[in-house]
């Protein structure tokens, strides 16, 4: 080379590339893009030759089987959908569950001769199907070749063969395509791709081998098949119900659920694992990070979407998401939980919505909720930053936990509500309920977080002028007061608090809290002695717009006289416990004789609170005080959910499948003011898809009457639900039960 | 009301709101936005009155202490930085570690009288500081009032008081501001905010109470203080070294590390927990999801950024990210690990970079890596989708694990390299190394994933024409062949494989694999008997451009003759094991006598591989075959990293602090072709900040000489590193050691 030995000088500036930067690829990183969509699958050729053809091409293959017809036996009244508990899905395709045999019938050009003819049914899912990845599964009707799915001949008569296929109980859940393939010495001849041979394979709580096996038919019917939801809200001593149409069988909902996993780019190969599916879905049900299904909004302004309180079911939300590919506005916790429940039931994972009353929230797994008092004993609202949600809804789903030691399978908490202040955690669970009960917060996923939601202490601090603070009262029983879910097969509620916690004060409870502390949950260590004066607020049932009296009782348990400087505060709060406005304040000085009690009456006029009401119309009363003789702090808190007016729903008599019926929704504005921008929504499982009507104004005292016609789709018990929602009045609902004859 | 009893009609269409939709707020969700930035803090007023002033205003407060001056004692030669091991940080601010006393000196208008005067030093971090959140910390110099940080008077003479402050060993890590406050009966009088009283509080491996306590001075010096990194790559039997300047003490790096947490919107209150800090950082070091620090690129095309092989240290990357607020291009695993290491050491968390040779990767925690063979025994490249990385780098960091049972503290794996095909997991760890060793894969975070990276089996399948596959060979020892890190206090390597795994074939190893299987790791169950013929490939040390011979040995262990139909394939691979191009193929038939061995020589000419070379110039040889007599499959695989030409670096003699020196970088293009678009980068810890030079072309046989002037910043041993990088030749480096006299 002529350059040998020459020295080069540096250039002044590196060249600047022109044009847009190339898309960064990972071609050197992996051999093949990973399949992450179930909406598409790679086609397999109709003829796959073995080696090269001879000089004259392939011989005529008339001696081998030719496939004339394939019957997926997919009508709801046929054996497959009945036996697989999938007959309620409104879908023309075959839908089966894994680990359980289904039948398909192949018709050939001549009778099948098992001794001579070789054929297989083949299933593929996703793009680039591969045997080693479990995305291409050949099934042979004889036992010669074993593959992960079982096959057998059930019937061989005339030119038709009925084949029984059992998908592996661990296989991927989603949409497959089926081929019938005949082996010849020259190659494989198979059916041309045709959408009619698409089939869906779901989780199967009915078979032992499936990780979601649930050994109780009543529970399975409730947690997989039931579409009618009851979600509890209000307060633990004044429980309200919300009806919800999960609609997991409605047309398009199953495809929408698969789309959610596609949108999350979840690898197809992970879709057989209920742990991974539920964890991914807990992230995707909220729009944070990943443009998931629902946008959270707790602001009170829902102008640009549907108010969380206005939804009646999941169908509209899921269909809208899968069609528009855009997050749906708006949700709060029960909407996340209800739509998540639809997703889980639709895919066959047993699930239920639960409500935790007084839920410690947004505190990043801390076991303390801090309330700051001034030296006088009055609440320092500016410095009290934590809030306790009146209630919080999440989901439980049922599955084994092979990733944990024995004994932690069963119900698992998953929560799709984004936790605003936690460390970027916009997914939660699955966390074993058993692990939460036993304080085994070290087990994945997020058990410590859920543990705190049901076990936090409320710590009252007294703040000195110089800024130092001293814990003066610790309430161990306020948070996680009660956990409720719907009773399987019934419309009553079921208290499942004991599945989350041992009884208060029990030895087990103490052990569990110590265990959780070992795993890094921080508790308040100091335990100031309880005061000898108790404050008591009675339970109240108040309708919106009522004037009422609050009777605050001071009980002196000591043998001496006590004087309490008390502060009584009434405020309108969001269901998150956040204060919207204080509408009442009193600071009585109360003198109580030894072993006596005194009632302090506080009159609450509706005109004081009506103008401040937000959303779910909750009033929060907090009384705190300082005992002069002892300096001890006393306190009591109570949430009073105001009762809303009801919608009246009336159904016509004698309902029969496919015969027209009427439903009448009626509402009278009970207030002296106008209601503006009113939406009324209505739907009923198996009765009617969601419908909405808009009223620009309902003057004070006026009524609306909405008559709607519908034809029931199927027989059995159902309900029609409706909601009415407008900025000045939210969360008005009504429902009516009906039995449809076949 | 006149409307009483009227019925309203629905409106035809709801109104369409005009203008852009309002920003959704969470005003009803939380009382206060959570503080997630450390770059800003709320100021506290200079005078905070107690109650209202009287009718004449406040009285003159001449009798109370007035603050004249505050000395943070922050010069490197003063006591604070020396004792806190922070004197190397290039920063004008005070930098201390938590759980250890530091001193500040306050000067008043008159002598301080402990009996009469009351003052405090106050520390605040982030916006909306609150005592109950630990973001506002008053420290009293006497024991009257206990707060979480300790204070005492060390010296009181003249008008000056020296105060000793000990930050709680669990306090948040980051940038604080300090005030001095004097209490008067009328209110609090304090210093005006002034940046000179900013201070940084870091993790402290030197004190027992800190979660990152590491009880070994040599390890601490290496894993916190050492800036010179050696990162291993190449192959387990031909190890190469890469030098790296972590640069954790360089100007601006500490602020850049805090910015990373700000950018992640990590709540300030979580920043004292090394588990949360390291987990968050593992997500933020890569740009996936969250616009984190580094963009991964394995494509070979780095036109629009810096080639991963070209970086010499972390400083440029971190400074560029914090200035531009944009992800930096480009990284591969060692760049992620090296920059993560800087982050950890800079904040005071002991950390090291480790290299795992033959790392199972991108397989979502599966314990199997599949290789598909045709019926003949030849590799089916189209169907072999898994790859084994020649090596993979991650980090270990040292901390207690209060969230896990006893015994799982110590070294924890964290990994910032995004795992492409795993379920959206763009963060990994901290996973306890002890838990990985014992198969306790149920413990958070991601232990199962790391377990698979060091423990996967390589499974060879034979694929029949009909598509069914049968495992024919399982290799249990290929993956996780060796784990290396740098020896503390030395420049040699340390084999830490035994910290991850029990010896192969031991009883403990079997128990661990069973335990991991219990927790859901899937292994190949079948274990085909090993063939009685072994294939052996020798270790090779080849320089780029060399012709060489590959001697493939067939060893017959049986008493009979054996004939093997063998397939020898040579390909150029990325370090990820992905094939770029096959450049050699032979299919010899080899006959081996009983108990004999035969060597098959394969000549490899450089002209065959040179044109295909990518990146790190790795050749991969795979030989497979089928024994005719037994049908058994034999195989051997070997990666041969080609040796690159070196850069020569020469330093001038007799280096002294602040005296100018010269460094000379020399390189000769040894090839017959031109090198185009060449970047040379150079830096040295404590010697010189990163510098870069560009050469548009280095003709074949030509040389470059780059002479640079610099003045060492500090005394001691150091190194100067340089890299040369261009599309046709990557990963050329050189280094020179030097001792600087004071």
């Amino acid at each position: 080379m002529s350059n040998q030995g020459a020295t080069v000088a540096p250039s002044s500036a590196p060249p600047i590339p022109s044009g847009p930067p190339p898309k960064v690829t990972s071609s050197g990183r992996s051999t093949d893009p990973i399949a992450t969509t179930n909406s598409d699958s790679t086609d397999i050729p109709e003829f796959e030759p073995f080696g090269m053809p001879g000089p004259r091409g392939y011989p005529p293959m008339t001696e081998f089987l030719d496939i004339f017809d394939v019957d997926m036996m997919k009508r709801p009244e046929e054996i497959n959908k009945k036996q697989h508990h999938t007959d309620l899905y409104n879908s023309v395709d075959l839908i089966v569950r894994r680990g359980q045999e289904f039948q398909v019938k192949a018709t050939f050009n001549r009778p099948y001769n098992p001794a001579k003819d070789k054929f297989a049914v083949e299933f593929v899912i996703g793009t680039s199907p591969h045997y080693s990845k479990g995305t291409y599964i050949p099934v042979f009707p004889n036992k010669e070749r074993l593959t992960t799915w079982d096959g057998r001949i059930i019937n061989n008569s005339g030119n038709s063969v009925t084949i029984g296929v059992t998908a592996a109980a661990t296989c991927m859940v989603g949409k497959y395509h089926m081929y019938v393939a005949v082996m010849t010495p020259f190659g494989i001849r198979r059916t041309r791709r045709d959408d009619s041979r698409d089939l869906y394979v779901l989780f199967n709580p009915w078979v032992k081998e499936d990780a979601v096996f649930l050994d109780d038919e009543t529970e399975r019917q409730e947690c997989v098949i039931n579409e009618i939801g009851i979600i509890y809200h209000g307060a633990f001593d004044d429980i309200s119900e919300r009806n919800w149409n999960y609609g997991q069988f409605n047309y398009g909902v199953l495809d929408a659920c698969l789309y959610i996993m596609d949108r999350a780019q979840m690898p197809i190969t992970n879709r057989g694992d209920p742990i991974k599916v539920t964890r991914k879905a807990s992230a995707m049900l909220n729009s944070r990070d990943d443009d998931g299904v629902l946008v959270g909004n707790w602001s009170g302004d829902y102008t640009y979407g549907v108010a969380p309180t206005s939804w009646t079911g999941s169908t509209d939300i899921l269909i809208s998401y899968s069609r528009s590919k855009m997050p749906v506005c708006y949700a709060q916790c029960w909407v996340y939980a209800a739509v998540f429940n639809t997703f889980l039931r639709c895919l066959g994972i047993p699930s239920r919505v639960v409500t935790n009353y007084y839920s410690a929230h947004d505190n990043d797994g801390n076991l303390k909720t801090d309330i700051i008092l001034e030296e006088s004993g009055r609440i320092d609202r500016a410095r009290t930053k934590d809030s306790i949600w009146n209630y919080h809804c999440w989901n439980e789903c049922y599955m084994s936990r092979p990733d944990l030691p024995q004994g932690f399978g069963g119900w698992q908490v998953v929560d799709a509500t984004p936790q605003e202040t936690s460390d970027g955690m916009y997914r939660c669970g699955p966390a074993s309920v058993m692990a939460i009960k036993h304080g085994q917060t070290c087990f994945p996923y997020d058990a410590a977080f859920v543990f705190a939601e049901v076990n936090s202490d409320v710590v009252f601090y007294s703040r000195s002028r110089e800024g130092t603070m001293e814990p003066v009262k610790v309430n161990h029983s306020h948070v996680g007061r009660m956990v409720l879910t719907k009773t399987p097969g019934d419309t009553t509620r079921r208290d499942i608090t004991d599945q989350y916690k041992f009884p208060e004060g029990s030895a087990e409870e103490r052990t569990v809290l110590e265990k959780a502390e070992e795993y890094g949950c921080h508790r308040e260590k100091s335990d100031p002695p309880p005061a000898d004066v108790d404050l008591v607020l009675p339970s109240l049932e108040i309708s919106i717009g009522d004037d009422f009296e609050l009777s605050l009782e001071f009980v002196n348990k000591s043998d001496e006289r006590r004087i309490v400087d008390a502060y009584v505060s009434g405020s309108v709060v969001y269901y998150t416990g956040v204060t919207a406005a204080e509408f009442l304040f009193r600071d009585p000085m109360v003198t109580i004789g030894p072993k006596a009690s005194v009632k302090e009456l506080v009159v609450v006029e509706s005109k004081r609170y009506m103008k401040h009401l937000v959303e779910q119309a909750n009033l929060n009363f907090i009384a705190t005080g300082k005992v002069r003789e002892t300096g001890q702090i006393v306190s009591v808190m109570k949430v009073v959910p105001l009762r809303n007016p009801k919608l009246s729903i009336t159904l016509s008599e004698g309902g029969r499948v496919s015969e027209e019926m009427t439903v009448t929704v009626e509402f009278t504005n009970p207030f002296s003011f106008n209601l503006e921008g009113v939406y009324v929504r209505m739907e009923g499982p198996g009765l009617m898809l969601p419908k909405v009507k808009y009223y620009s104004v309902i003057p004070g005292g006026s009524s609306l009457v909405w008559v709607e016609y519908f034809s029931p789709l199927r027989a059995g018990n159902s309900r029609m639900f409706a909601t009415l929602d407008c900025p000045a009045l939210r969360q008005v609902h009504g429902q009516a039960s009906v039995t449809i004859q076949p």
Side-chain angles (χ1 to χ4, degrees), chain A:
Chain A
M1 290 293 295
S2 61
N3 292 305
Q4 202 65 39
T7 299
V8 294
S11 306
S12 53
I16 294 161
S18 60
K23 198 175 169 320
V24 173
T25 66
S26 293
S27 62
R29 157 128 203 177
S30 46
T31 45
D32 219 20
I34 190 100
T36 58
T37 171
N38 194 189
S39 62
D40 198 17
S41 70
T42 305
D43 203 7
I44 311 191
E46 276 184 83
F47 187 70
E48 205 179 339
F50 297 151
M52 286 289 141
R56 300 186 193 183
Y58 296 106
M61 296 197 289
T62 43
E63 63 174 298
F64 306 109
L65 281 182
D66 206 356
I67 310 137
F68 274 20
D69 185 48
V70 180
D71 178 1
M72 302 293 284
M73 304 171 75
K74 62 191 180 183
R75 283 169 296 280
E77 62 279 11
E78 286 181 287
I79 187 167
N80 283 335
K81 283 190 173 174
K82 278 272 175 245
Q83 289 196 341
H84 285 255
H85 311 275
T86 57
D87 48 325
L88 292 181
Y89 284 87
N90 189 351
S91 166
V92 296
D93 291 314
L94 178 59
I95 301 173
V96 296
R97 295 182 192 274
R98 59 189 200 174
Q100 181 177 344
E101 189 179 75
F102 62 93
Q103 304 184 4
V104 291
K105 189 193 262 183
T107 303
F108 299 104
N109 55 333
R110 57 162 173 79
Y112 161 67
N113 177 350
K116 245 183 57 192
D117 298 324
K118 277 169 88 171
F119 79 95
V121 284
E122 300 171 314
F123 298 86
V124 298
I125 183 168
T127 47
S128 61
H130 275 280
Y131 181 86
S132 66
K133 298 292 175 208
T135 47
Y136 162 74
I137 310 111
V139 179
F140 300 92
N142 42 40
K143 300 279 170 212
E144 262 175 55
R145 287 221 186 67
L146 286 181
T147 60
T148 53
W149 293 22
D150 275 344
R152 67 177 178 118
I153 302 285
I154 292 178
N155 193 333
N156 182 3
S157 68
N159 292 356
S160 291
V161 178
T162 304
I163 307 122
V165 177
T166 306
T170 55
C171 78
M172 289 152 233
V173 157
K175 189 177 184 175
Y176 287 78
H177 186 75
M178 190 184 96
Y179 296 92
V180 177
V182 172
M183 314 304 161
T184 80
F186 310 105
I188 299 170
R189 156 196 277 178
R190 60 167 65 81
T191 47
R192 182 189 299 238
R193 186 178 175 114
D194 178 338
D195 287 350
S196 73
R197 287 189 294 276
D198 282 345
L199 77 161
Y200 294 83
V201 179
L202 306 183
F203 288 102
N204 195 349
W206 280 267
V207 307
K208 254 204 180 63
E209 295 72 24
D210 196 307
V212 303
F213 176 59
L214 173 56
D215 195 13
D216 181 317
E217 184 59 19
T218 311
E219 292 255 25
R220 281 190 300 239
Q221 285 298 329
E222 177 69 32
C223 296
V224 183
I225 303 297
N226 190 15
E227 289 183 280
I228 305 175
I230 298 177
I231 301 174
Y232 299 98
H233 63 115
F236 83 96
D237 54 358
D238 185 13
I239 291 159
S240 305
E241 293 183 3
R242 194 190 300 276
N243 282 281
W244 194 274
N245 183 6
Y246 295 128
Q248 67 265 38
F249 304 124
N250 280 343
Y251 181 80
V253 169
L254 175 54
D255 281 321
C257 293
L258 298 183
Y259 170 69
I260 289 170
M261 292 191 284
D262 285 0
R263 181 65 178 272
Q265 300 192 294
M266 183 181 188
I268 293 276
T269 49
N270 287 340
R271 299 193 191 179
D273 182 343
I275 298 171
K276 287 181 176 154
V277 168
T278 55
R279 183 155 181 75
K280 181 51 95 183
S282 86
M284 275 306 290
L285 263 289
N286 66 69
S287 63
R288 302 297 296 257
D289 302 333
D290 42 21
D291 284 336
V293 182
L294 282 159
V295 178
N297 185 342
W298 283 260
S299 73
D301 179 359
Y302 310 114
T303 318
Y304 295 83
V306 176
T309 40
S310 184
W311 298 109
T312 48
S314 307
T315 311
D316 267 359
I317 294 169
L318 287 166
I319 298 293
S320 160
Y321 182 68
S322 74
R323 284 206 188 130
S324 71
K325 322 242 184 268
M326 289 290 288
V328 177
C329 298
Y330 291 108
Q332 290 178 6
C333 72
W334 69 91
V335 185
Y336 286 112
V339 177
F340 201 172
N341 215 50
T342 300
F343 174 91
L344 295 165
R345 290 190 181 178
C346 184
L347 294 182
I349 301 173
S351 66
R352 58 194 191 189
V353 174
V354 308
T355 301
N356 175 38
Y357 287 96
Y358 289 134
S359 199
H361 219 74
D362 284 341
N363 67 352
D364 200 25
N366 202 320
L367 280 185
K368 280 165 56 181
T369 298
D370 298 339
I371 294 180
I372 318 294
L373 306 178
E374 296 170 1
E375 280 183 85
S376 63
R378 181 176 178 173
I379 281 206
D380 185 339
R381 289 202 181 273
R383 290 193 169 83
T384 298
K385 298 295 171 189
D386 289 345
S387 75
I388 302 163
W389 290 31
N390 297 343
Y391 64 89
H392 178 50
C393 298
W394 59 65
N395 300 81
E396 288 181 8
C397 49
Y398 198 90
M399 64 184 72
S400 64
R401 285 300 297 266
D403 57 329
L404 300 184
Q406 283 245 317
F408 295 101
W411 292 109
Q412 311 289 320
V413 171
V414 284
D415 187 351
T417 301
Q419 310 280 326
E420 291 292 325
T421 67
S422 77
D423 189 7
M425 208 170 71
Y426 301 126
R427 59 169 68 185
C428 176
S432 162
V433 173
M434 192 59 90
I436 293 159
K437 181 168 184 176
H438 286 87
Q440 295 285 358
T441 58
C442 64
F443 292 133
Y445 296 90
D446 311 314
F449 200 90
V450 183
F451 185 86
E453 289 182 310
V454 295
N455 280 307
S456 286
D457 294 331
V458 180
V459 183
F460 293 81
Y461 290 90
S462 178
R463 181 181 182 277
S464 75
R465 296 201 294 193
E466 287 92 6
T468 53
M469 300 217 277
E470 194 193 347
V472 288
K473 183 177 169 175
V474 180
N475 187 335
H476 298 293
S477 62
H478 187 74
V479 164
R481 185 63 181 258
M482 186 158 70
V483 185
L484 291 185
T485 190
K486 175 180 175 302
T487 306
D490 198 359
T491 55
T492 59
R493 61 197 185 223
R494 180 170 165 199
D495 184 337
I496 54 168
T497 317
D498 65 341
Q499 299 191 9
Y500 282 85
K501 308 210 263 190
F502 286 102
E504 206 204 317
S506 65
E508 290 94 336
E509 188 210 19
R510 224 172 9 253
T511 314
V512 163
L513 288 167
E514 282 162 14
K515 172 69 72 185
E517 268 189 285
E518 264 176 44
Y519 292 137
C521 285
H522 299 296
R523 307 189 74 201
E524 177 56 46
K525 286 298 191 316
S526 65
D527 210 350
D532 52 18
V533 174
D534 280 348
L535 292 197
V536 184
L537 270 173
S539 292
L540 290 168
E541 297 187 2
I542 313 291
S543 288
I544 196 164
D546 285 358
D547 297 340
F548 62 97
E549 272 185 351
L550 192 72
S551 161
L552 174 62
E553 192 176 5
F554 292 74
V555 182
N556 179 359
K557 295 182 290 181
S558 78
D559 298 326
E560 295 160 43
R561 194 197 63 174
R562 291 283 181 253
I563 297 176
V564 178
D565 291 305
Y567 303 88
V568 187
S569 161
S571 43
V572 171
V573 292
Y574 292 88
Y575 88 98
T576 56
V578 171
T579 301
E582 187 176 57
F583 64 86
L584 176 145
F585 180 73
R586 302 271 184 285
D587 54 352
M589 188 201 80
V590 180
T591 308
I592 324 128
K595 298 280 183 196
S597 78
V598 168
K599 281 189 176 163
E600 180 77 17
L601 280 187
V602 179
V603 174
V604 182
E605 292 169 296
S606 65
K607 65 180 181 198
R608 307 298 296 271
Y609 66 76
M610 280 305 283
K611 57 177 176 263
H612 297 298
L613 282 190
V614 288
E615 314 245 310
Q616 306 189 21
N618 292 310
L619 304 185
N620 188 26
F621 293 97
I622 303 186
T624 56
K626 197 168 184 174
V627 181
R628 280 198 191 170
E629 290 79 5
T630 62
Q632 285 178 315
I633 296 292
V634 294
S635 73
V636 65
M637 299 187 282
K638 177 159 293 292
V639 170
V640 179
L642 297 178
R643 308 208 156 190
N644 275 337
K646 294 268 171 237
L647 280 180
S648 146
I649 302 188
T650 324
L651 288 153
S652 56
E653 299 283 308
R656 303 192 86 86
V657 173
S658 300
E659 282 184 14
E660 194 171 77
M661 295 178 68
T662 59
V663 53
T664 309
V665 182
E666 288 170 278
F667 175 77
T668 302
N669 177 356
F671 304 113
S672 55
F673 52 85
N674 295 351
L675 295 173
E676 293 178 1
V678 179
Y679 286 90
V680 183
R681 282 186 163 72
M682 175 163 58
E683 66 180 297
L687 301 175
M688 194 174 82
L689 286 173
K691 292 209 149 104
V692 58
K693 261 210 156 43
Y694 175 74
Y695 299 83
S696 57
V697 59
I698 303 176
S702 294
S703 301
L704 69 85
V705 179
W706 173 16
V707 180
E708 190 67 51
Y709 296 85
F710 67 98
S711 301
L713 289 169
R714 54 176 192 258
N717 296 324
S718 190
R719 281 183 175 197
M720 191 71 87
F721 326 129
T723 64
L724 178 145
D725 210 90
C726 62
L729 180 68
R730 302 211 181 269
Q731 195 161 262
V732 172
H733 31 69
Q735 48 105 346
S737 294
V738 63
T739 304
I740 304 300
Q741 304 300 330

